[in-house]
């Protein structure tokens, strides 16, 4: 529906996506279901493998509401294994094949799985769960055919997905089968999925966007094409070749990756004859990127999608058009069918249209809660009704938005606000000005020490003085960064989002510690010990404790560097922990930097 926002649409009562997939197996058994590096699987082959997994799980004691960890590479076998878990009425916890050991331990502690299905059983040595490998079900007989009963299984958890943990300890979000069914049906309708579609599966299986790529596609009878490798490691040339050669018709890309790919396509004049729809979100989409895409002849439809894990992936969408990209921001859009949204003030009261506030999401997509003793903590969920908006539960997104003419606009994170010399500053507003510059394709503004630093993405070198001069012409002095740091491409997480901790740590390294803030030696010891404990899940850290022996890895090292910078103002390089892995040696290194900066 071009030229209009995606409004709420009424759809039929949703069918469990597993039931829909089973119907496709009956109706089109020879149609392609999954395509990966190992080849193509038909719906019949998908069903046979999944039923084998189901029988093996049941024989091993797995059943309704049991958590089952699925660890494996992105492949038809792994997707079929996830389906087998759902056929058992169990709850899958997909973790991919590259999860750091410390994060893996956290997942196991939080979910207490009954079973683990893995290609690497040695990683789960000592786990309380029973560990199974593909050899345990590969030659077995498929389970007897059956159909999920929607009425009985609606409240059964479908999957658990862990939040990114960039602001604290990762939390396991529990999503019900009913929520997944509602979401799958709404997405099928808004994306216009058809049986002849080929949908790219690019997100890590550990992220919930993968569920949006897989289950609605299979429920439609279309084919899921699995991206070989991690999205952050796939070049724009490689993605373009894959889209063309595989005849991809629908793809879902994080805004940062999409922005770079769009610029690449323009630079090379590349056409994508089969691609009919691009969905982008997960991060703020630069309006200039959207405007250029929508005004370029021959480009596929572009849907801007917004959502959070705690409300079942995507909740708000908008099909972007030239008319909707004339302002300073690209609209998020309007709620999907069944989703309710409301914008509230600090007192939790609904604000008038046009006023800023926090976005709350309600409806059947709201999560069962988090793993643990407090599934729905009050600071994240509102259980009661909101005047003129309806009953709870509501999820508090922490996102600042504004509603204009029935469309929601993203304004930034409530917790991203920073104070510079006592003045509250919105980094997102500065980044929005930066990305309006012709040379820049993306921008992030970070507080490093007590200063603002602009991180920009550009294909060619930039003149920092000229760029800062342009900012001074349109921004108050307090909002002008002290420095601009350029990247060819921003570092990305496994899910394809900008890796902000890595970006912050690298920016600090490039600035050579010139922005560090002096801190006392005793304070440094306390902070560094606490950060090691939090990042490594260690109850205590002694003077001879080894960072890597405690489960640390390169990702944890990046997060440590970023955390030290955030809390002390000291730009300690990522490589420091590799050269000083023993706690006391690392601490001495950090304290020496503190002394030099005093």
């Amino acid at each position: 529906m071009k030229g209009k926002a995606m409004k709420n649409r009424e759809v039929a009562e949703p069918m469990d996506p597993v039931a829909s997939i089973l119907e496709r197996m009956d109706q089109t058994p020879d149609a392609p279901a999954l395509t990966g590096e190992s080849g193509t699987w038909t719906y019949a082959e998908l069903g046979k493998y999944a039923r084998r997994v189901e029988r093996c799980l049941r024989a091993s004691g797995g059943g309704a509401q049991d958590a089952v960890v699925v660890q494996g590479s992105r492949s038809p076998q792994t997707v079929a294994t996830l389906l087998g878990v759902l056929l058992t009425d169990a709850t899958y916890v997909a973790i991919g094949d590259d999860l750091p050991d410390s994060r893996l331990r956290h997942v196991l502690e939080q979910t207490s799985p009954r079973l683990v299905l893995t290609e690497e059983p040695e990683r789960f040595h000592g786990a309380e769960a029973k560990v199974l490998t593909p050899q345990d079900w590969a030659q077995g007989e498929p389970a007897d055919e059956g159909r999920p009963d929607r009425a009985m299984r609606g409240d059964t958890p479908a999957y658990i997905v862990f939040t990114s943990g960039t602001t604290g300890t990762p939390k396991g979000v529990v999503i019900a089968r009913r929520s997944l069914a509602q979401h799958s049906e709404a997405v099928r309708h808004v994306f216009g999925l058809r049986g002849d579609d080929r949908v790219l599966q690019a997100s890590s299986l550990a992220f919930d966007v993968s569920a949006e790529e897989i289950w609605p596609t299979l429920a439609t009878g279309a084919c899921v094409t699995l991206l070989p490798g991690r999205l952050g490691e796939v070049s724009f040339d490689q993605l373009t070749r894959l889209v063309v050669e595989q005849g991809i018709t629908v793809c879902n890309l994080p805004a940062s990756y999409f922005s770079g790919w769009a610029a690449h396509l323009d630079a090379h004049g590349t056409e994508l004859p089969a691609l009919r729809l691009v969905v982008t979100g997960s991060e703020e989409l630069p309006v200039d990127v959207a405007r250029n895409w929508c005004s370029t002849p021959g480009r596929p439809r572009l849907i801007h999608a917004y959502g959070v894990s705690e409300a079942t992936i995507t909740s708000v969408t908008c099909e972007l058009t030239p008319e909707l990209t004339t302002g300073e921001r690209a609209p998020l859009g309007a709620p999907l069918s069944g989703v309710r949204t409301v914008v509230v003030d600090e007192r939790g009261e609904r604000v008038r249209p046009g006023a800023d506030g926090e976005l709350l999401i309600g409806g059947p997509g709201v999560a069962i809660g988090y793993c643990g003793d407090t599934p729905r903590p009050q600071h994240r969920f509102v259980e009661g009704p909101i005047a003129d908006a309806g009953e709870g539960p509501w999820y508090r997104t922490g996102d600042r938005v504004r509603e204009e003419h029935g469309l929601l606009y993203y304004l930034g994170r409530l917790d991203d606000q920073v104070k510079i010399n006592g003045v509250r500053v919105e980094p997102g507003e500065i980044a929005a000005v930066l990305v309006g510059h012709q040379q820049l394709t993306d921008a992030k503004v970070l507080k490093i020490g007590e200063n603002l630093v602009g991180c920009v993405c550009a294909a060619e070198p930039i003149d920092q003085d000229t760029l800062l001069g342009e900012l001074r012409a349109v921004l108050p002095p307090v909002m002008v960064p002290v420095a601009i740091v350029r990247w060819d491409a921003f570092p990305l997480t496994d899910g394809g989002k900008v890796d902000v901790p890595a970006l912050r740590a690298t920016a600090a390294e490039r600035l050579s510690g010139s922005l560090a803030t002096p801190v006392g030696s005793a304070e440094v010891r306390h902070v560094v010990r606490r950060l090691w404990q939090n990042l490594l899940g260690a109850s205590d850290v002694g003077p001879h404790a080894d960072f890597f022996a405690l489960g640390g890895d390169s990702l944890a090292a990046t997060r440590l560097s970023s955390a030290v910078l955030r809390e002390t103002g000291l730009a300690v390089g990522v490589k420091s922990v590799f050269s000083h892995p023993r706690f006391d040696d690392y601490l001495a290194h950090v304290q020496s930097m503190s002394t030099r900066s005093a």
Side-chain angles (χ1 to χ4, degrees), residues 34 38 41 49 53 73 75-82 119 137 226:
L34 300 165
S38 60
W41 286 26
Y49 193 96
V53 173
S73 58
S75 66
Q77 289 89 341
T78 303
V79 174
T81 301
L82 297 176
E119 299 170 354
W137 60 78
L226 303 160

Side-chain angles (χ1 to χ4, degrees), residues 87 101 120 196 214 272 372 396 408 418-419 422 432 465 474 550:
L87 287 170
D101 289 341
E120 302 177 66
D196 60 350
I214 293 170
L272 306 168
R396 301 183 57 181
L408 292 168
V418 298
K419 280 192 175 182
D465 292 339
V474 296
L550 290 175

